[in-house]
Amino acid sequence: VGEAIRANVWQDIVARAPGVPFTNIGADGRRRIYAVQKLSRVDGEAPYFYVGVSILEEEIVSEPKRELRKNLLLLAAAGLMSLLGAYYAGTVGIVRRIEVLGKVANAYASGLYSERTGNVGGNDEISQLAKDIDQIGAKAEIHFKEIKQAEDALRKSEEHLRIVSDNANDWEYWRGPDGKLKWVSPSCKDITGYSPEEFMGDNPLDERQIVHPDDFRLWEEHIHLVHDNNEHRHLDLDFRILKYSGEVVWISHSCKPVFSNDGAFLGRRVCNRDITERKAIEQALTFLATYGNAHAGNNFFEDLAKYLAETLKMDFVCIDRLEGGGLNARTLAVYFDGHFEDNITYALKDTPCGNVVGKQTCCFPRDVRSLFPNDTVLQDMAAESYVGVTLWDSAGQPNGIIADIGRHPL
């Protein structure tokens, strides 16, 4: 009330017949439905008064819209339920059966051969396919179970072989027909000072590289025998090698051919055994057994002292006779740094030889001069190691000593 009628509304009021509703934008800027009655004094005269009423359009149509939306939602829900029902029926009938087959096939692909399709229903191609898949699974399960048992047995066999080969005391290897090493036992490190990888690497170490120079020709002759007498000959050889440390080691080398089950030549199997100690014993026995004839007129004790020094690589060797109830010793031979010393009598007190008397052996592998600081011989020669043995008479009484002293640790 009291507000001006919008021009567009006034134009519709004037132009339209009385009582005919129309829509337009009201003074509040919202869409309204109008109905106007025109009043005239005499029919045909221009109206002198207008009576109109308006209502928001949204208030008229909101309720029908709500009903329409509700009905549409109900219709959509009914349609969706129909579709879900149809899908479920189809799944149970075909899709689900195929999904079961696919699941079992994927299980087989993953190695799970115990899976089965079960009863997929029907008596058609799908059910027959399910039976075939179950039969394949059953056969595969048995087959792969047998394979696993064989693999387990092979694994145990390989483990046993590894334990035996890796813990062998001898330096063993397998050389193929092409001359290349196929396997080297870890014990080669103990015997040669070199690892298996150094014998089998990109720039492999060969035996001839560590053969003692004095035995190199002997080794070359052995190699020629291996090559010239075909693969069927079993050959043996004793020779010396130089360890990584420079130490000389005697080796008993034995090689023999190996063949496959069908007779194919696979190379040679080699066993190298450290016989350094055995060789030392053999040489000592040889020295004693041949001394009488080969060294007639020589001083036995001096020759023995020299032999022990050279064989054992010791700097000082003395052979003593006990005197004074075992308190003193008189040297019968002293071999020091390549020549003989004059014999002397000395007291055993404060010397390592005093610890030997009455014992089979006495050994100080290192630091011997620090253990016996009053022994002038040990101090003057900068001794590091000591080994002594007692000599016994026919009555079982100690009557002498052999002492070996070195400037290096044992």
Side-chain angles (χ1 to χ4, degrees), residues 180-198:
K180 295 181 179 180
L181 289 173
K182 294 182 174 292
W183 172 80
V184 179
S185 66
S187 54
C188 69
K189 180 75 172 179
D190 298 327
I191 296 178
T192 69
Y194 297 96
S195 67
E197 292 74 20
E198 290 176 281

Side-chain angles (χ1 to χ4, degrees), residues 153-204:
L154 178 61
R155 191 177 299 109
K156 290 181 180 179
S157 177
E158 291 176 344
E159 180 69 11
H160 293 161
L161 178 61
R162 186 193 63 78
I163 291 174
V164 172
S165 61
D166 287 358
N167 292 278
N169 292 324
D170 298 331
W171 164 28
E172 303 185 13
Y173 59 82
W174 172 23
R175 191 179 295 278
D178 58 358
K180 295 181 179 180
L181 289 173
K182 294 182 174 292
W183 172 80
V184 179
S185 66
S187 54
C188 69
K189 180 75 172 179
D190 298 327
I191 296 178
T192 69
Y194 297 96
S195 67
E197 292 74 20
E198 290 176 281
F199 285 101
M200 300 181 64
D202 295 334
N203 186 23

Side-chain angles (χ1 to χ4, degrees), residues 67-342:
E67 289 296 323
L68 177 61
R69 282 198 295 269
K70 182 174 70 174
N71 292 335
L72 289 174
L73 287 173
L74 291 173
L75 180 61
L80 181 60
M81 292 298 294
S82 298
L83 290 174
L84 289 174
Y87 173 78
Y88 179 75
T91 300
V92 173
I94 298 176
V95 177
R96 180 181 174 279
R97 298 164 70 196
I98 294 177
E99 287 177 347
V100 171
L101 301 185
K103 178 181 177 182
V104 174
N106 287 332
Y108 291 171
S110 302
L112 302 176
Y113 301 105
S114 60
E115 292 290 324
R116 297 292 182 268
T117 62
N119 183 11
V120 299
N123 191 24
D124 52 10
E125 291 84 353
I126 295 178
S127 61
Q128 184 59 46
L129 179 60
K131 294 178 182 178
D132 293 341
I133 290 177
D134 286 345
Q135 291 179 359
I136 292 173
K139 292 180 179 179
E141 185 176 14
I142 295 174
H143 176 68
F144 283 98
K145 185 177 182 180
E146 293 174 349
I147 290 178
K148 187 178 184 306
Q149 291 174 346
E151 289 176 343
D152 291 341
L154 178 61
R155 191 177 299 109
K156 290 181 180 179
S157 177
E158 291 176 344
E159 180 69 11
H160 293 161
L161 178 61
R162 186 193 63 78
I163 291 174
V164 172
S165 61
D166 287 358
N167 292 278
N169 292 324
D170 298 331
W171 164 28
E172 303 185 13
Y173 59 82
W174 172 23
R175 191 179 295 278
D178 58 358
K180 295 181 179 180
L181 289 173
K182 294 182 174 292
W183 172 80
V184 179
S185 66
S187 54
C188 69
K189 180 75 172 179
D190 298 327
I191 296 178
T192 69
Y194 297 96
S195 67
E197 292 74 20
E198 290 176 281
F199 285 101
M200 300 181 64
D202 295 334
N203 186 23
L205 183 71
D206 191 81
E207 292 105 317
R208 67 189 71 196
Q209 295 176 253
I210 60 174
V211 172
H212 193 283
D214 294 343
D215 292 343
F216 189 79
R217 179 175 293 180
L218 187 66
W219 174 257
E220 287 291 311
E221 292 174 355
H222 171 77
I223 295 300
H224 289 313
L225 284 175
V226 171
H227 292 162
D228 296 343
N229 292 273
N230 66 52
E231 62 269 17
H232 299 286
R233 187 168 179 177
H234 183 173
L235 299 171
D236 297 317
L237 176 70
D238 289 352
F239 66 102
R240 289 166 293 177
I241 66 169
L242 295 174
K243 293 183 67 172
Y244 178 79
S245 62
E247 179 184 354
V248 177
V249 176
W250 273 97
I251 295 293
S252 174
H253 172 91
S254 177
C255 62
K256 62 181 181 179
V258 290
F259 303 91
S260 66
N261 291 333
D262 57 4
F265 177 60
L266 300 178
R268 299 187 76 84
R269 170 78 155 70
V270 177
C271 176
N272 291 323
R273 178 167 294 176
D274 184 347
I275 57 170
T276 306
E277 184 176 350
R278 190 188 83 189
K279 279 292 183 180
I281 295 173
E282 290 176 356
Q283 291 171 356
L285 293 175
T286 300
F287 171 82
L288 295 174
T290 61
Y291 183 81
N293 295 328
H295 301 273
N298 288 6
N299 184 314
F300 170 74
F301 293 111
E302 288 185 349
D303 288 345
L304 178 59
K306 180 181 179 181
Y307 170 79
L308 291 175
E310 293 175 348
T311 302
L312 301 177
K313 301 294 187 295
M314 300 298 277
D315 302 294
F316 182 101
V317 176
C318 66
I319 302 175
D320 304 339
R321 181 188 299 277
L322 296 177
E323 295 179 349
L327 298 178
N328 300 320
R330 173 158 182 83
T331 62
L332 302 176
V334 179
Y335 190 76
F336 179 37
D337 280 347
H339 63 275
F340 292 102
E341 299 276 331
D342 294 335

Side-chain angles (χ1 to χ4, degrees), residues 13 20-22 32-37 50-56:
I13 291 174
V20 178
F22 64 91
R32 293 177 170 273
I33 299 176
Y34 292 87
V36 179
Q37 186 62 46
Y50 295 85
V51 178
V53 64
S54 69
I55 188 172
L56 291 172

